[in-house]
Amino acid sequence: MADSMESLEHKLAYFHDATGIQDLALSTQILEAHGWNLDAAISAMVDMRPRDSAAIGPASAPHPDEQQAAAAAPGTSGRTASSSHYAVSAQHEDELLLASEINGHVATNHIYSTLLWKLVTLPFSIIRGSYNIMYSAMGMGMSIAGGAISYSLGALRWSEGRVADGRASLLPLPVGAAEASSFVRNFEREYGDYHPHFQTTTFMDALRRATAEFKLLFVYLHSPEHVDSPAFCERTLCAEAVVQFVNENFVSWGADVRSSEGFQMSNSLRASTFPFCAVVMSSSNQRIALLQQLEGLKSASELLAILQRVVEEQGSILVAARADQEERTLNRRLREEQDVAYRAALQADQEREQRRQEEAERAAREAAEAETKRKEEEAAAAEAANIAAEREAALERRRQEKAISLGLEPEKGPNVTQVVIRFPNGERRERRFHCSATVQSVYDYVDSLGSFDVVKYSLVSNFPRTVYDQEKLSLPLKDAGLHPHASLFVQVEES
């Protein structure tokens, strides 16, 4: 056990020297997240080469000594080597740019204000709102074999302190919003409900809201285990002057560094100690502009002075952006009003011209319509008479053809089918057919009678109800179930 503790202390000291992070709690969390693998932890923090977050695979298995050290570490929560999914960014940007940037426009090498702008590339999971990392709470370990399976994990309700059977409850998706809501509840439980109005959304949603409202985004990353956190929250962050100023001039977003999104943001913003606050605004290419960061315990007056300076020096950018937006909105509204007025005047002119033409044409049209109507009525009467004559002639030819095709009626016998036909008008006809005759023969018999002038109809039996339609015309009467006798009625189809 003593050897393990010495190994942990050695790793912490080496990690401090390599990264420059002096905060013991943060260093311990980072090393735990990488399974106490020094190479993976240091690479995630100081490697400046572009990396594709989507290409980050499972970390290599730690050395047995590292596994033993991780298992023996006080406060560890069973994180495995696959927790290297905590790699915070597709690209790490250390270069400080002096810029005047709003809505993606950057004027490099131009000093707009005394503040240094730092462009920070956000992790892919924060931008896309999904998480492909693994998160462990205190007293709870969770790992995914091989690190190849993406697991969208809800925020752990660690602060509610209600852990049953060694497991914490999972909040429903979306994860970032659930974590933000949990942070606000936990914060209010500890420090009361008078505090900056933290958004209960993901970081990207809060950033979009700040951009839409032409405000800067105030970010607070909370480390409950840090000794200065309670004093900072009670005396500084919840001070009346600070709360009023932040709520009036900023959109606020907070997160616990033990949550997945809070942990990623602490790494993206390179938080080296706590309490940690930052002022950011949206930039281009999936980046944010880091305007100011505050680390360590600050008094309310110190924090307020820094935030006032940020607003004074950067407020002109937001004021100009708001003015441009309002001018564009006003110009668009004026153009729309002018277009509406022009279209209304044009429509009125067109309607007047149309009425004049209609009055001129109406008299001539009425006279022509009367003459046309007379001729059309005469032509229609003649055409109707021709159609009726042709239809009657066609029906007569059809009856004769069907009668000829039937042939003579067979005598009664075992192979003879007796068929009764009932018509819609109540008329009843009966005829014998050879059992090998088809259903079409019955239709021919009905057509030959000429009892009604209907061309479209179907023969239907009642028990069981069967419609002898086009598909059954070629069936022999015996196969159609009509032998030795059948009763059919004529069902007229609507044309």
Side-chain angles (χ1 to χ4, degrees):
M1 181 68 177
D3 293 341
S4 298
M5 295 301 298
E6 291 178 359
S7 177
L8 288 177
E9 294 175 355
H10 174 73
K11 289 176 183 290
L12 283 171
Y14 189 92
F15 185 81
H16 290 170
D17 295 339
T19 63
I21 299 177
Q22 300 302 318
D23 187 283
L24 179 61
L26 178 61
S27 300
T28 302
Q29 289 179 354
I30 294 174
L31 285 169
E32 288 175 357
H34 293 84
W36 290 88
N37 187 324
L38 273 174
D39 291 340
I42 294 173
S43 175
M45 298 303 297
V46 303
D47 186 2
M48 302 307 300
R49 295 171 296 175
R51 295 168 57 189
D52 184 357
S53 62
I56 297 177
S60 58
H63 191 274
D65 292 340
E66 296 174 342
Q67 292 179 335
Q68 181 181 1
T76 58
S77 54
R79 292 182 177 92
T80 65
S82 63
S83 293
S84 63
H85 283 283
Y86 273 125
V88 297
S89 175
Q91 295 181 346
H92 292 296
E93 298 279 341
D94 258 8
E95 180 182 3
L96 294 179
L97 301 179
L98 295 174
S100 170
E101 174 177 309
I102 190 68
N103 294 331
H105 299 288
V106 181
T108 56
N109 301 323
H110 174 70
I111 302 178
Y112 183 83
S113 67
T114 60
L115 293 181
L116 287 178
W117 287 46
K118 181 177 180 181
L119 296 182
V120 178
T121 301
L122 293 176
F124 174 81
S125 58
I126 287 183
I127 295 169
R128 297 303 297 272
S130 59
Y131 297 90
N132 295 322
I133 67 170
M134 296 180 59
Y135 176 67
S136 298
M138 296 176 59
M140 171 183 173
M142 181 175 288
S143 62
I144 300 177
I149 303 176
S150 279
Y151 193 90
S152 297
L153 185 60
L156 297 177
R157 294 182 177 176
W158 46 267
S159 61
E160 296 183 0
R162 301 292 187 267
V163 181
D165 299 330
R167 294 177 296 175
S169 299
L170 295 180
L171 292 176
L173 294 175
V175 177
E179 290 177 348
S181 299
S182 178
F183 163 74
V184 173
R185 289 195 303 271
N186 300 329
F187 190 93
E188 291 180 347
R189 184 179 295 109
E190 294 291 333
Y191 307 109
D193 56 2
Y194 188 76
H195 54 76
H197 181 62
F198 295 114
Q199 300 296 307
T200 55
T201 62
T202 63
F203 173 82
M204 289 305 298
D205 287 339
L207 184 64
R208 280 189 286 268
R209 177 169 182 173
T211 302
E213 296 180 5
F214 297 97
K215 291 183 178 180
L216 302 176
L217 180 63
F218 175 78
V219 177
Y220 172 60
L221 299 179
H222 184 66
S223 178
E225 299 175 357
H226 198 282
V227 294
D228 292 333
S229 292
F232 177 79
C233 292
E234 292 174 355
R235 304 171 190 171
T236 302
L237 195 58
C238 294
E240 182 178 359
V242 173
V243 172
Q244 292 179 355
F245 186 80
V246 170
N247 288 342
E248 181 178 356
N249 296 278
F250 298 88
V251 172
S252 302
W253 182 83
D256 191 303
V257 294
R258 295 179 301 183
S259 67
S260 42
E261 192 166 31
F263 185 85
Q264 291 184 79
M265 288 307 302
S266 69
N267 284 337
S268 296
L269 297 175
R270 302 297 181 86
S272 59
T273 188
F274 294 93
F276 180 89
C277 301
V279 178
V280 301
M281 66 186 301
S282 62
S283 181
S284 59
N285 298 327
Q286 299 179 346
R287 297 177 178 180
I288 57 173
L290 176 60
L291 306 181
Q292 183 70 55
Q293 68 183 46
L294 302 89
E295 297 180 301
L297 184 61
K298 296 287 188 300
S299 66
S301 58
E302 290 175 327
L303 176 61
L304 191 59
I306 294 173
L307 295 180
Q308 287 174 340
R309 180 171 59 86
V310 173
V311 171
E312 291 172 359
E313 295 180 346
Q314 300 299 324
S316 58
I317 297 178
L318 301 178
V319 171
R322 183 187 296 271
D324 290 343
Q325 178 65 26
E326 291 177 350
E327 183 179 359
R328 287 194 297 270
T329 302
L330 178 60
N331 292 337
R332 182 174 64 253
R333 186 179 299 113
L334 289 175
R335 287 194 300 269
E336 291 174 353
E337 292 175 354
Q338 291 172 354
D339 291 342
V340 170
Y342 171 76
R343 287 194 295 269
L346 180 61
Q347 182 177 0
D349 292 341
Q350 292 174 344
E351 289 176 352
R352 283 193 296 270
E353 178 64 20
Q354 182 177 1
R355 285 195 298 269
R356 188 189 64 81
Q357 293 179 355
E358 290 175 352
E359 289 292 335
E361 295 173 356
R362 184 164 56 87
R365 186 171 60 250
E366 290 177 353
E369 287 176 354
E371 180 65 18
T372 301
K373 183 178 180 180
R374 184 185 63 80
K375 293 180 178 179
E376 288 177 351
E377 290 176 352
E378 293 177 355
E383 184 178 0
N386 293 334
I387 292 175
E390 292 176 358
R391 184 168 178 270
E392 182 60 30
L395 290 175
E396 182 60 30
R397 288 194 300 272
R398 184 166 175 259
R399 286 193 292 267
Q400 294 177 0
E401 292 172 357
K402 298 295 184 179
I404 294 173
S405 65
L406 285 173
L408 298 176
E409 182 176 3
E411 297 294 334
K412 292 182 179 181
N415 293 326
V416 174
T417 302
Q418 187 77 22
V419 179
V420 177
I421 309 294
R422 291 181 174 85
F423 294 88
N425 58 4
E427 184 181 358
R428 181 176 180 277
R429 293 296 185 93
E430 185 176 347
R431 191 183 191 280
R432 295 183 298 276
F433 298 87
H434 196 277
C435 65
S436 62
T438 63
V439 174
Q440 180 65 54
S441 300
V442 182
Y443 274 89
D444 292 343
Y445 170 67
V446 174
D447 293 339
S448 68
L449 296 177
S451 298
F452 59 100
D453 297 336
V454 175
V455 176
K456 292 186 178 180
Y457 64 92
S458 297
L459 295 177
V460 182
S461 64
N462 273 332
F463 303 104
R465 179 177 173 80
T466 304
V467 178
Y468 295 92
D469 52 13
Q470 188 70 26
E471 296 179 355
K472 297 181 174 63
L473 294 180
S474 59
L475 290 176
L477 298 180
K478 187 175 183 179
D479 294 345
L482 299 176
H483 183 75
H485 54 78
S487 178
L488 303 175
F489 67 89
V490 176
Q491 178 177 285
V492 178
E493 299 180 5
E494 296 182 0
S495 57

